[in-house]
Amino acid sequence: PRDAALWDKAGELIMHQAALFAPKFDGVQIKLYKNNVDNKGASYGTHENYLMARQTPFTNIVRLLTPFFVTRQIFTGAGRLGRGQEGTVKEFQISQRADYFEAEVGLETTLKRPIINTRDEPHADPEKYRRLHVIVGDANMSEKATMLKMGATSLILSLIESGFEDFARFDLANPVAAMSQVSYDTSMQNVILMSNGTSMRAIDIQFDYLQAVRSHLYSHSDPDEQTSEILELWQQTLDSLNDQSGEHAVAARYIDWLAKFHLMQGYRDRDSLDWGSPRLSLIDLQYSDIDPARGIALKLMNRGTIESLFTDDQVKRASTEAPHDTRAYFR
């Protein structure tokens, strides 16, 4: 997970350099934003890819991953000012991608987007492995959020591969509707209807996932160093998000939607702005600017307001040196 977060960050640097070197059009420099929506109806993905054992039944993957993806928004969301695909309702929501999912399972990535995507190009022995293509995530500026997103998802996949079968307690009554329901609930206190007729908060479902990983995978063995780091960060994040005071002070230092929400709320309080203010829309966009001179998230990282995992030298080195234990080395 750390490597994934580091080379994702290196990708920002590479693309910023590319924009600087690119020819100007009518004297205008290309600007790049690491986000997922244009608030005019278009959305573009931040795709994750995971290698899984082919022998794992796909139905098991669907059942356990769907509720996880619906509820992990509370720590993977990048934050968005606008609801609905065209963002016409000027209210803040947790995720930029949530409003664009219209199916539970499918092959599409641009129309009728599914929560579980079935595209499968393993770039490995197809008899042994499948590629899980994930399209439900937001583009995170926070390095810690990226690492947690990748790490927690990998652990859930390990849980599925291990033979875990206690799916029923995680089943949602309407996963597609729950995507937006979770995203709109910045208080994280509203409940989601489960298929068994009960209701649970998204955060409690995530606590259950974390406990399942700990009890099923690591009840008789100690996790390795990076796994321990993810488990501790996952626990710390959920504990902070569960803070009933609403401050979420710990998580706000690395969870993108919280950092953005608190920044916007500060402007709202100071200048008596409503959510429809163009100034807030500009903050929403500029948060994801990958230009260090203008990007709000990058400036907050430089100040230490948003926590970083890597030094500038580490990111710069990663932008020219591929990881030695992946296909990227040969590419």
Side-chain angles (χ1 to χ4, degrees), residues 289-320:
D289 192 333
I290 65 170
D291 182 349
R294 298 184 59 83
I296 291 175
L298 295 180
K299 286 185 176 182
L300 292 175
M301 289 176 199
N302 287 334
R303 296 175 189 167
T305 306
I306 293 180
E307 296 175 4
S308 297
L309 292 173
F310 314 111
T311 65
D312 289 343
D313 286 343
Q314 286 176 311
V315 175
K316 186 175 181 180
R317 186 164 57 251
S319 71
T320 58

Side-chain angles (χ1 to χ4, degrees), residues 38-327:
D38 66 354
N39 275 333
K40 297 178 182 177
S43 177
Y44 22 94
T46 298
H47 295 180
E48 304 152 57
N49 294 277
Y50 301 86
L51 199 67
M52 292 197 70
R54 177 67 64 182
Q55 65 186 20
T56 304
F58 193 71
T59 53
N60 293 359
I61 296 172
V62 172
R63 279 194 76 183
L64 202 58
L65 267 188
T66 300
F68 176 73
F69 283 155
V70 170
T71 57
R72 76 170 190 172
Q73 298 176 78
I74 61 175
F75 57 79
T76 64
R80 178 190 178 197
L81 180 52
R83 295 182 182 177
Q85 292 193 358
E86 297 186 359
T88 51
V89 178
K90 293 303 179 183
E91 294 287 343
F92 190 89
Q93 64 171 307
I94 290 173
S95 169
Q96 296 196 358
R97 290 281 277 172
D99 285 331
Y100 294 88
F101 289 88
E102 301 171 318
E104 292 185 39
V105 182
L107 183 61
E108 297 293 333
T109 59
T110 57
L111 297 171
K112 296 289 289 184
R113 294 179 180 91
I115 297 171
I116 303 294
N117 188 257
T118 56
R119 178 177 294 178
D120 180 9
E121 300 170 11
H123 300 294
D125 185 343
E127 299 296 320
K128 295 181 179 179
Y129 303 105
R130 76 159 56 246
R131 167 191 175 195
L132 185 71
H133 186 229
V134 178
I135 68 172
V136 295
D138 284 6
N140 292 109
M141 294 299 295
S142 165
E143 299 158 14
K144 261 192 169 181
T146 298
M147 183 176 74
L148 179 57
K149 174 173 65 179
M150 300 284 193
T153 304
S154 295
L155 287 173
I156 296 302
L157 297 180
S158 294
L159 183 67
I160 298 169
E161 288 179 323
S162 73
F164 181 83
E165 294 183 346
D166 188 10
F167 307 120
R169 63 186 167 118
F170 294 103
D171 288 341
L172 304 179
N174 190 337
V176 174
M179 283 291 295
S180 293
Q181 183 183 346
V182 171
S183 186
Y184 294 173
D185 179 24
T186 55
S187 73
M188 294 171 288
Q189 297 303 308
N190 295 339
V191 294
I192 308 169
L193 183 63
M194 311 299 287
S195 62
N196 61 9
T198 63
S199 297
M200 293 179 68
R201 298 183 304 164
I203 195 167
D204 293 323
I205 295 173
Q206 280 293 316
F207 272 124
D208 270 5
Y209 273 112
L210 174 57
Q211 182 55 39
V213 168
R214 281 193 165 130
S215 61
H216 195 77
L217 290 180
Y218 300 108
S219 58
H220 301 297
S221 63
D222 293 329
D224 61 57
E225 184 177 348
Q226 282 206 48
T227 302
S228 294
E229 182 178 29
I230 294 299
L231 290 171
E232 290 169 10
L233 181 59
W234 197 355
Q235 180 76 57
Q236 168 190 293
T237 302
L238 295 180
D239 287 341
S240 179
L241 294 176
N242 201 33
D243 176 12
Q244 300 301 307
S245 72
E247 290 298 318
H248 318 298
V250 173
R253 292 182 59 82
Y254 55 88
I255 299 302
D256 280 311
W257 78 264
L258 269 175
K260 185 188 289 186
F261 181 75
H262 286 179
L263 181 66
M264 289 185 177
Q265 193 60 53
Y267 278 95
R268 278 166 48 81
D269 293 341
R270 190 190 72 181
D271 300 330
S272 301
L273 302 177
D274 61 33
W275 283 117
S277 168
R279 290 172 60 190
L280 297 182
S281 295
L282 183 60
I283 290 172
D284 188 23
L285 179 63
Q286 205 164 332
Y287 183 91
S288 59
D289 192 333
I290 65 170
D291 182 349
R294 298 184 59 83
I296 291 175
L298 295 180
K299 286 185 176 182
L300 292 175
M301 289 176 199
N302 287 334
R303 296 175 189 167
T305 306
I306 293 180
E307 296 175 4
S308 297
L309 292 173
F310 314 111
T311 65
D312 289 343
D313 286 343
Q314 286 176 311
V315 175
K316 186 175 181 180
R317 186 164 57 251
S319 71
T320 58
E321 296 180 11
H324 289 192
D325 56 355
T326 78
R327 290 185 300 114

